[in-house]
Amino acid sequence: MRTRSERIVVVTTAPADRASEWSGQQGVERVVTLRNPSLSGRRFGKLALGLGMDALALALKTRLRVASRTMVLTTNPWIAVSLRFLGHRNLVSLGIFATPGSRTWTLFRRVIPHCSMIVMSTLERDNWRAEGGTAAYVRYGNSFPYPPPASGPRPGSTVRIFIGGSSDRDHALIDRIAAEVLDSGADIHLTIAVGDGPTTQRSGQAEVRRLATLSQEEFGEELRNATVSFLPLEQSGRSAGHMFIVGSLQVGTPVLYTETEGMREYGDALFCRPIPRGVSPLKYLLEGAASLPSAHDTHQFWRANFSRKSFVEAVLDASRAMSALKNADD
């Protein structure tokens, strides 16, 4: 039986201060980063260019510094694709974020079929395994540069609902909620940050704000100011929305979300509640807002279940476990 070292090289598009979280972990030999990564994921206004250019630059840097047999953990599959084109084989990647049959999925299956995948939902794990791949599920966690949760009771009687993000959002449902809030005329303020603002509409005491693109810090501030956040998801067959719920819980704001397969591991009866598909979420949001845990308790729930430290440790454990299985098969 051939054996390999369990040392791991992590290759990531994260800025240096975030990437350092990997270097302090047992078994991590090196962390490869870019001096000036695209923090938005875009180059020249295009997401594809941002992902592609940064992935290729990281792959070239890695091949110059890392032995070909070393296990490399990439923090997105596009880096793994670039490394495979450059001849590296011992690959583990974090995330797939693609649906079986899509062009992205087909490319991954052709170029990196033997790359072990660590995914944030059992749905993606099962999809990758169904086509002969190796995959493990790890529940997502993170620590964003957001403000701390507000202290004390939630102020005022206004129900403040926040909807944000972009990936797999159900825009028809967002428009429906906005219309229902305005029709109610009640003391409800709905803030929508999906990049289609800025506009503000009012009817009676009701208000609907649509915001332009926000910085990460501004996004976190809007989350913290909400009574409750809502994640309206389409049924896409892939992982989506995990960054939103983790960020919301971090700042102390409970989450309600549209029930989808890709989120089935993240539900909680108190802090992160699913809403059935095909119903108006506004009723559930208002009922939820009347029986919320405190911001402090919500933040503590995040700390216990979704912290960045716990996620990084779980990803490395999964990487080693899948490597050991491959080595045993060899």
Side-chain angles (χ1 to χ4, degrees), residues 1 14-15 22 28 31 36 45 129 136 162 164 167 177 192 221 246 249 255 275 284 308 313-314 316 319:
M1 180 178 72
W22 295 98
V28 174
V31 180
N36 295 302
R129 287 180 177 179
F162 179 74
S167 179
I177 296 170
I192 302 168
E221 188 67 39
V246 169
L249 295 172
V255 189
I275 295 176
Y284 289 85
R308 174 76 172 174
E313 291 172 351
L316 292 171
S319 300

Side-chain angles (χ1 to χ4, degrees), residues 9-20:
V9 170
V10 178
V11 184
T12 178
T13 54
D17 60 331
R18 301 284 287 167
S20 64

Side-chain angles (χ1 to χ4, degrees), residues 6 17 45 48 72 86 96-99 124 132 154 209 218 225 229 238 252 275 293 309:
E6 290 299 314
D17 60 331
V72 171
L86 295 177
I96 300 174
F97 313 115
T99 304
E124 284 197 349
R154 303 182 188 276
R209 289 191 304 146
E218 290 169 336
N225 291 337
S229 66
R238 65 177 187 172
I275 295 176
K309 181 176 183 295

Side-chain angles (χ1 to χ4, degrees), residues 42-88:
R42 297 176 183 272
R43 299 277 187 189
F44 307 106
K46 301 291 185 180
L47 184 60
L49 285 176
L51 290 171
M53 292 172 67
D54 284 7
L56 181 57
L58 279 166
L60 288 167
K61 189 173 181 180
T62 302
R63 290 297 283 147
L64 290 171
R65 300 185 179 192
V66 176
S68 59
R69 290 184 175 272
T70 303
M71 188 204 311
V72 171
L73 167 64
T74 69
T75 55
N76 75 61
W78 294 105
I79 307 171
V81 167
S82 295
L83 277 166
R84 186 64 192 88
F85 275 129
L86 295 177
H88 202 94

Side-chain angles (χ1 to χ4, degrees), residues 8-201:
I8 301 174
V9 170
V10 178
V11 184
T12 178
T13 54
D17 60 331
R18 301 284 287 167
S20 64
E21 297 170 334
W22 295 98
S23 61
Q25 299 297 320
Q26 182 180 3
V28 174
E29 181 177 283
R30 181 194 295 263
V31 180
V32 181
T33 63
L34 292 178
R35 181 170 295 178
N36 295 302
S38 171
L39 299 181
S40 68
R42 297 176 183 272
R43 299 277 187 189
F44 307 106
K46 301 291 185 180
L47 184 60
L49 285 176
L51 290 171
M53 292 172 67
D54 284 7
L56 181 57
L58 279 166
L60 288 167
K61 189 173 181 180
T62 302
R63 290 297 283 147
L64 290 171
R65 300 185 179 192
V66 176
S68 59
R69 290 184 175 272
T70 303
M71 188 204 311
V72 171
L73 167 64
T74 69
T75 55
N76 75 61
W78 294 105
I79 307 171
V81 167
S82 295
L83 277 166
R84 186 64 192 88
F85 275 129
L86 295 177
H88 202 94
R89 294 177 179 273
N90 190 6
L91 296 168
V92 181
S93 177
L94 186 57
I96 300 174
F97 313 115
T99 304
S102 67
R103 283 187 290 182
T104 299
W105 178 275
T106 301
L107 185 148
F108 291 165
R109 288 303 308 157
R110 288 177 179 172
V111 179
I112 51 172
H114 304 297
C115 176
S116 299
M117 295 292 193
I118 299 173
V119 295
M120 275 64 77
S121 73
T122 55
L123 172 65
E124 284 197 349
R125 180 200 65 190
D126 296 345
N127 287 343
W128 192 255
R129 287 180 177 179
E131 297 194 21
T134 301
Y137 157 70
V138 170
R139 187 164 62 176
Y140 178 72
N142 213 334
S143 303
F144 296 100
Y146 288 169
S151 58
R154 303 182 188 276
S157 59
T158 303
V159 176
R160 302 181 186 276
I161 303 168
F162 179 74
I163 297 173
S166 58
S167 179
D168 297 328
R169 298 308 190 264
D170 187 337
H171 290 273
L173 184 56
I174 293 173
D175 291 343
R176 177 181 175 181
I177 296 170
E180 290 181 0
V181 167
L182 292 172
D183 286 345
S184 74
D187 193 8
I188 306 168
H189 288 187
L190 173 63
T191 300
I192 302 168
V194 295
D196 60 356
T199 63
T200 300
Q201 296 174 281

